[in-house]
Amino acid sequence: MIRGHGEIARHVARVVDVVERGCVASRQPVHDRLARSWERSLSNYRVDPGQASLPQVVTARELREHRERLDTFMRIAREGVDRLYDSLRPANYCVLLTDAAGVTVDLRTVPELEREFRAEGFRDGTRWSEMEEGTCGVGTSLVDRQPILVHRGEHFRSHNIAFTCSSAPIFGIDDEPLAVLDASALNSPEHRESQVLVFQMVVEKARLIEDAFAFHSLRGYWVLQLGRSPELMHVHTDYLVAFDDGGRIVGGNRRARQELLQRRGPAPEQIGDLFECSASDLLAAAHARPGQAIPLRIQGSGTRIFGLLRAPDARPRSGIAQVGEAVGNDAAGVAETRGFGHLATDDPRVSNNVQRALKVANRDIPVMLLGETGTGKEAFAKALHDASDRYKQPFVALSCAAIPESLIESELFGYRDGAFTGARSKGARGKIIQSDGGTLFLDEIGDMPLVLQSRLLRVLAEGEVLPLGAEKPTPVRLHIVCATHQDLPRLVAEGRFREDLYYRLNGAVFMLPPLREREDIGAVIDRVLHEEARAMGRELHLADETRDALMRHPWPGNIRQLRHAMRYACAISDGPLLMPQSFPPDLFSAAPSGLMRGAVQPALPVLVAPADVPPPALKPKDLALRERMLETLRRNQWQVTVSARELGLSRATFYRKLAKLQIVAPNRQAW
C-alpha cells in the first residue's frame, strides 16, 4: 500500500507536535497511553516515524525456536484463535498470535487477500514489538500490559497508518505476558468507534485463551471454577482458584489473582481464608452434587458466588502402567510385555485375555472388547496397541456415545475446507486418517448411527476414506479395536446394527470382567490406593474395616468408580489411615449397617444373605420385587446386564436393589 509523500510528512509533523510540543487531540486515557507510546518510540527506541519499509521478519530457524517455546500454549490457544478468525473473516480481518517478544507465531489471513496482507508485512515471523515498530497494537499492549486499539494514524510508523489493530496481551499464572492476540485490517473507516466491537471480541477471546491455559497450568491441583450465575457456570467462568490437597491456595486465573487473592489485607492462604467453608466442606459438597454449582460466600464481605470443583489430574507416573483405568498386580509367569504388564493380574480371566491378546496383536484381526462401563476397555485397547509393532504410530480414540450424532461423521471421516457452514478454513483430518498405520479405538460402537456404519464398512472393505466434501479418497492402513457394553447381536436382530459390519468387526473377542467378579480385587484396590496416594505425595493405608467394605462393595461403576472414590478419600483424609468415613458419603449408602453415615464402626458386608433366603423385615412390595429379580437372574444365568434391561432398570439401580434386597449370586455366597 503506497503512502504519498504528503501523507507521510503530515504524519511525521503530527508525531513531533505530540512528542515535543505536547499537543494531543483529547485527554482520554487511551490517547494519553498513545502519546506516551509515541514518546517512547521516538525518544527511547529512536524509531523513525517516516520510515515506510516493511516490518522485520525473523529467519525460519528463529521462528521455529519461538514456536517451540510456546508449543503447549499454542495448542491450547488454537481453538480460540480459530473462533475469532471465523467471526472476523467476513469483514476481511486477519488474526494473529505473537509471543511475548512480539514475533508472529500463528496467523490467519483472508485467502482472497493473502497476497495483500503479506505485501504489508502480515506473515509468520513478523516482529511487531514497540522497540522495532513503534506504537502498534501488539507492541504497545505488551509494554502497557493492557489491551489496546491502535487505529490508523495512531500508529507511529508511517508504514502502518492505514491499518487498524485490536490487541490484547495474554498472561501466564506468574503474571508475565505469554502472547498477544491481535485482529488487524488493511483498511477501515476513519472513526475509531467503528472498531469497538472488534476490540471487545479480541479482548474476550484473549481472556478465554488465558483462562484455558491457566486451567491447564493448574491441572495438578483442585480447581474451583467460580461465577456469579449458576446457570452460566458451565459456559462462562469469572474466576479460577486452585488449591492443594491440604486446602492451601496455590494460584488462579488473572482475574481471581487481582480481585480475590490480592485484595487489601492479608492474602488468603487457605480456602477457609477466602470462603466461609473449608476445603473438606467443598469436596463433600461437590461429591454430593456432582456437576452442580455449589453456593459459596466470600469471607468478610459475605458476597454470594457459585463454584464447580474440578478434581486434579493424576501427576505423571513412570511407565505405561498408568494408562486408563485398568490396574492390577503383575501376574507371576506373565512376561512384562510392553503395554500389558500392568494388566496381567492374578485374575485368571484377565491373564487369559492378555495371553490371547499377545497372539493377535500383530495379526490383521479386528478386536472387539466387551464389558461394563468402567472395566478398562480403552486401557486394554491402548495396551494392545503398545504391545504391537504399531506402538510408534498413533493411537486414536473416539467415543461414539460422547459426541452428538451430527458431529460423529466429521470427527470420524474428516472434511475438506468449506465442506459445510462453520467448517475450518483448512478443513480437518478425521480420526480414521489420523490413525493411519496405527490403531483406531471406537468406544461404544453400538451407538454409531446406521448411516455411518455403512460408510465405515466401505472404509474397511476398500482401505480408503473419503472426507466430507472431498472428491478423491485417501488410502489408509487401518487397524480397528471396538468396544461396547451393549448386546450387539440383539441390536443386529432389531435392525439397529448392520450384520455385515458386526461380522467384520467381531474378529477376536475379549470379555473384560467387572471389578466385583475379579479374584484379584484386593490387589486392584491396593494398586489404586498406591497410585492415588503417590499422585498426592502422601503415604496412606487402609483400615481393616475399610478394606473389608471395599472388597464387598458391588462397584457398579467398576474400576473407574473405585479410582474416583479412592482419590476423594486420599484428598480429604486427615491422617495416614483411610477410615470408612474418608470415602464419599453415598458410596456404601446401601449397606444395612448404615456404614458411612457418620458412625465409626466395623464395616459389614453389603450382601450378606444367600439368594434363596429372604432377609427379615422386608415389606411385601420389596419381597415381590426380590422374587421377580431372582427369577429373572436365574433365567438369564445370573447375567446382571441382561436381567436389568429385561426389568427396565439401569445397571446402577439394579445393583442398588441387589444390595438392598440382599441378593447374592451363587458364586459369591462363600463371602
Side-chain angles (χ1 to χ4, degrees):
M1 189 176 297
I2 300 175
R3 283 91 182 165
H5 292 295
E7 185 180 13
I8 294 175
R10 287 192 296 274
H11 178 70
V12 172
R14 183 163 173 256
V15 169
V16 173
D17 283 343
V18 169
V19 175
E20 295 188 355
R21 302 184 185 126
C23 300
V24 292
S26 73
R27 283 297 175 185
Q28 294 181 15
V30 66
H31 290 127
D32 284 344
R33 288 177 61 194
L34 290 167
R36 289 194 297 271
S37 176
W38 276 16
E39 184 173 2
R40 287 193 301 267
S41 303
L42 187 65
S43 304
N44 298 353
Y45 310 137
R46 302 198 179 279
V47 178
D48 181 359
Q51 186 181 3
S53 60
L54 291 176
Q56 297 181 36
V57 179
V58 301
T59 65
R61 178 179 178 181
E62 290 172 329
L63 176 58
R64 186 163 57 250
E65 291 172 352
H66 281 268
R67 283 173 167 166
E68 287 174 354
R69 288 193 287 268
L70 279 183
D71 181 63
T72 300
F73 171 80
M74 288 178 63
R75 175 175 52 81
I76 293 170
R78 188 170 296 119
E79 182 68 21
V81 175
D82 284 342
R83 290 189 180 189
L84 180 62
Y85 171 70
D86 290 342
S87 300
L88 296 179
R89 174 183 171 179
N92 293 332
Y93 284 80
C94 78
V95 172
L96 57 94
L97 188 74
T98 78
D99 64 6
V103 175
T104 304
V105 293
D106 197 5
L107 177 70
R108 309 280 195 281
T109 60
V110 182
E112 299 80 12
L113 298 175
E114 186 170 359
R115 182 177 300 177
E116 288 86 343
F117 272 109
R118 189 176 181 87
E120 295 297 331
F122 288 90
R123 54 180 292 186
D124 289 328
T126 300
R127 293 182 176 275
W128 293 104
S129 72
E130 196 177 73
M131 182 179 295
E132 288 150 320
E133 286 299 299
T135 304
C136 61
V138 170
T140 304
S141 68
L142 280 169
V143 174
D144 286 352
R145 301 169 67 97
Q146 298 178 53
I148 194 167
L149 165 60
V150 181
H151 187 62
R152 294 175 64 92
E154 294 169 353
H155 286 86
F156 186 80
R157 276 216 308 128
S158 59
H159 173 270
N160 303 326
I161 59 177
F163 309 152
T164 184
C165 303
S166 295
S167 303
I170 299 172
F171 293 84
I173 59 173
D174 58 355
D175 279 324
E176 290 303 315
L178 282 169
V180 174
L181 182 65
D182 174 273
S184 294
L186 299 179
N187 298 286
S188 63
E190 284 288 341
H191 301 293
R192 76 187 328 265
E193 289 75 16
S194 66
Q195 302 303 305
V196 170
L197 182 58
V198 173
F199 175 67
Q200 291 174 344
M201 293 172 67
V202 172
V203 172
E204 178 188 0
K205 287 297 185 292
R207 294 295 79 80
L208 286 174
I209 294 171
E210 187 174 271
D211 286 348
F213 188 70
F215 194 96
H216 172 81
S217 302
L218 298 167
R219 67 193 184 282
Y221 301 96
W222 296 92
V223 177
L224 193 58
Q225 182 181 343
L226 299 161
R228 304 291 182 184
S229 169
E231 291 79 15
L232 297 178
M233 285 295 300
H234 291 278
V235 294
H236 179 77
T237 297
D238 290 324
Y239 308 106
L240 293 173
V241 174
F243 58 94
D244 62 17
D245 300 323
R248 182 178 64 88
I249 297 172
V250 297
N253 67 343
R254 191 151 59 108
R255 187 172 176 186
R257 295 194 301 273
Q258 293 174 342
E259 299 180 17
L260 297 180
L261 306 182
Q262 297 172 0
R263 55 189 183 180
R264 294 179 181 177
E269 296 181 358
Q270 295 283 327
I271 282 293
D273 299 332
L274 182 58
F275 302 109
E276 296 178 356
C277 66
S278 66
S280 297
D281 295 333
L282 265 179
L283 294 174
H287 194 277
R289 303 173 61 191
Q292 297 185 44
I294 305 167
L296 301 166
R297 290 197 181 276
I298 298 176
Q299 282 281 15
S301 67
T303 302
R304 186 178 176 86
I305 199 168
F306 297 87
L308 286 173
L309 188 62
R310 309 293 184 184
D313 285 357
R315 294 168 178 81
R317 307 167 190 142
S318 59
I320 302 176
Q322 62 183 296
V323 178
E325 300 289 346
V327 293
N329 282 342
D330 302 324
V334 178
E336 284 290 333
T337 308
R338 180 184 60 249
F340 272 113
H342 67 296
L343 297 180
T345 72
D346 291 329
D347 182 90
R349 286 170 294 180
V350 176
S351 296
N352 179 261
N353 280 340
V354 170
Q355 295 296 342
R356 290 193 300 121
L358 291 173
K359 295 176 181 178
V360 303
N362 291 311
R363 307 295 181 186
D364 189 18
I365 301 174
V367 172
M368 178 71 73
L369 305 180
L370 305 177
E372 298 175 8
T373 299
T375 51
K377 294 187 285 294
E378 182 170 353
F380 194 95
K382 182 64 167 63
L384 182 67
H385 170 81
D386 290 336
S388 73
D389 294 339
R390 303 179 303 279
Y391 73 98
K392 292 185 179 180
Q393 302 304 316
F395 174 84
V396 179
L398 176 69
S399 173
C400 299
I403 299 177
E405 184 173 325
S406 59
L407 298 181
I408 293 179
E409 184 172 18
S410 59
E411 283 286 326
L412 188 58
F413 298 98
Y415 56 87
R416 60 165 294 178
D417 59 301
F420 53 88
T421 301
R424 294 184 181 178
S425 59
K426 297 180 181 179
R429 298 167 69 236
K431 301 295 187 184
I432 291 177
I433 294 179
Q434 292 175 33
S435 67
D436 184 22
T439 300
L440 175 64
F441 174 62
L442 295 177
D443 198 9
E444 302 300 349
I445 187 68
D447 290 304
M448 177 176 284
L450 272 171
V451 64
L452 298 190
Q453 294 176 28
S454 301
R455 290 199 62 187
L456 178 60
L457 182 64
R458 189 176 305 115
V459 172
L460 295 174
E462 300 174 3
E464 56 185 26
V465 60
L466 185 68
L468 293 173
E471 298 175 355
K472 184 179 178 181
T474 302
V476 288
R477 294 167 298 151
L478 195 59
H479 185 85
I480 286 190
V481 177
C482 294
T484 184
H485 71 276
Q486 299 193 61
D487 184 351
L488 285 186
R490 182 176 63 84
L491 297 183
V492 170
E494 295 174 354
R496 294 161 55 195
F497 200 86
R498 289 184 63 107
E499 185 176 16
D500 44 5
L501 179 61
Y502 171 71
Y503 287 115
R504 173 78 69 166
L505 299 175
N506 199 45
V509 180
F510 297 86
M511 175 64 75
L512 305 188
L515 176 60
R516 64 188 171 278
E517 296 178 5
R518 287 178 61 158
E519 295 183 10
D520 63 344
I521 185 173
V524 174
I525 290 171
D526 290 339
R527 176 66 67 89
V528 172
L529 169 61
H530 173 71
E531 291 178 350
E532 294 302 325
R534 183 174 61 179
M536 295 184 185
R538 305 186 66 186
E539 187 72 28
L540 297 168
H541 306 280
L542 294 173
D544 290 343
E545 60 266 37
T546 308
R547 171 179 294 279
D548 186 54
L550 294 175
M551 291 281 289
R552 297 179 183 277
H553 189 64
W555 296 113
N558 288 296
I559 298 173
R560 183 179 296 116
Q561 183 191 15
L562 168 64
R563 184 173 295 283
H564 291 169
M566 194 71 77
R567 184 174 299 170
Y568 174 92
C570 291
I572 72 165
S573 176
D574 293 326
L577 199 61
L578 296 185
M579 303 301 292
Q581 293 82 359
S582 304
F583 284 80
D586 61 341
L587 184 64
F588 302 116
S589 60
S593 63
L595 182 65
M596 303 300 293
R597 293 174 185 167
V600 180
Q601 56 188 25
L604 299 178
V606 175
L607 308 175
V608 295
D612 292 320
V613 180
L618 278 182
K619 298 178 181 178
K621 181 176 67 173
D622 291 334
L623 283 171
L625 176 59
R626 188 176 192 275
E627 289 304 314
R628 284 179 58 207
M629 292 177 66
L630 280 170
E631 190 276 329
T632 306
L633 285 164
R634 293 190 190 103
R635 187 173 65 255
N636 292 315
Q637 289 76 49
W638 288 86
Q639 296 183 61
V640 170
T641 301
V642 176
S643 300
R645 186 185 302 118
E646 187 174 317
L647 291 173
L649 302 173
S650 68
R651 291 197 310 278
T653 301
F654 195 86
Y655 280 117
R656 286 197 294 271
K657 298 293 185 183
L658 287 177
K660 177 181 178 181
L661 303 177
Q662 300 185 28
I663 300 174
V664 186
N667 63 341
R668 302 186 72 195
Q669 290 178 12
W671 283 1

